[in-house]
Amino acid sequence: MMRKHLIPLMVCAMFAGCGGEQHSDLRAFVKEADNLPRGRIPPLPEVKPYQPIEYAAFDLTDPFKPRKIEPPKNTAAIGGVQPDPNRRREPLESYPLEALKMVGVLKQKEFFGLIKTPDNNLFQVKLGNYLGQNFGRIVAVSDSSIKLKEIVQDSNGNWEEKEQTLLLQE
């Protein structure tokens, strides 16, 4: 029973402790804050009505649809360049040309280039070997470079030769 009467007395004592002059600085700050100039919020911008635009590109080629590029059947008959699909692939043809580095040259009866792969394997190549993924065939090996001709397909499906050079990396 005594506890029931004690709780309201304690609550009254706590409220009495919060009163008085000990929070006068807080009351003064609140009064000053009421007198400060207020900021002005700019009005919302005017909302323009929605105007639909008709999509008229249905006839264009879809860039996300995979397409199979096949060489024209008459390229070989005209005398155009074409890769040999029956040729046995060499180990360095599994790497892109940009990933291969020329790191040296050996000279015996002829020049041999030393090629380093991305996985740090070293290969010896000579005139006629193939490099890269674009059917690149070595046409010259010198002290400072390896020149090759790649056979690449253009956007029309025609094959064309393109010269590339691997320079000696120091």
Side-chain angles (χ1 to χ4, degrees):
M1 282 288 206
M2 187 110 158
R3 284 191 174 176
K4 285 185 182 180
H5 296 294
L6 198 61
I7 292 176
L9 284 174
M10 289 176 74
V11 171
C12 287
M14 286 179 16
F15 282 128
C18 290
E21 291 298 320
Q22 66 193 70
H23 297 295
S24 62
D25 58 338
L26 183 60
R27 287 188 183 105
F29 173 75
V30 171
K31 281 185 183 180
E32 277 183 38
D34 285 342
N35 295 333
L36 291 176
R38 306 241 187 267
R40 182 165 178 208
I41 298 174
L44 292 175
E46 183 180 329
V47 178
K48 296 178 184 174
Y50 172 73
Q51 293 180 352
I53 298 173
E54 185 178 333
Y55 181 73
F58 289 109
D59 297 335
L60 298 177
T61 304
D62 184 4
F64 301 105
K65 182 178 179 185
R67 294 177 282 165
K68 185 175 180 181
I69 300 175
E70 294 181 14
K73 307 246 187 302
N74 60 357
T75 305
I78 299 173
V81 182
Q82 228 176 1
D84 183 7
N86 300 324
R87 179 183 57 80
R88 185 175 178 198
R89 305 281 298 209
E90 294 184 18
L92 291 175
E93 289 185 90
S94 61
Y95 299 98
L97 190 62
E98 298 81 27
L100 300 174
K101 295 179 183 174
M102 179 183 179
V103 293
V105 177
L106 295 175
K107 184 173 182 190
Q108 294 172 345
K109 292 182 181 179
E110 59 183 319
F111 276 109
F112 290 92
L114 295 175
I115 301 293
K116 188 175 186 181
T117 63
D119 45 355
N120 289 327
N121 290 327
L122 198 61
F123 286 88
Q124 181 178 329
V125 295
K126 62 179 182 176
L127 200 71
N129 284 128
Y130 287 86
L131 291 177
Q133 297 174 331
N134 291 329
F135 309 102
R137 186 168 189 204
I138 298 175
V139 293
V141 179
S142 69
D143 290 337
S144 61
S145 66
I146 296 176
K147 293 184 181 181
L148 53 131
K149 287 189 179 182
E150 290 184 321
I151 301 174
V152 294
Q153 204 170 26
D154 64 10
S155 60
N156 294 330
N158 299 323
W159 294 96
E160 57 185 24
E161 279 188 345
K162 185 172 132 182
E163 288 193 17
Q164 294 284 2
T165 304
L166 276 178
L167 297 176
L168 180 64
Q169 304 276 320
E170 303 220 13

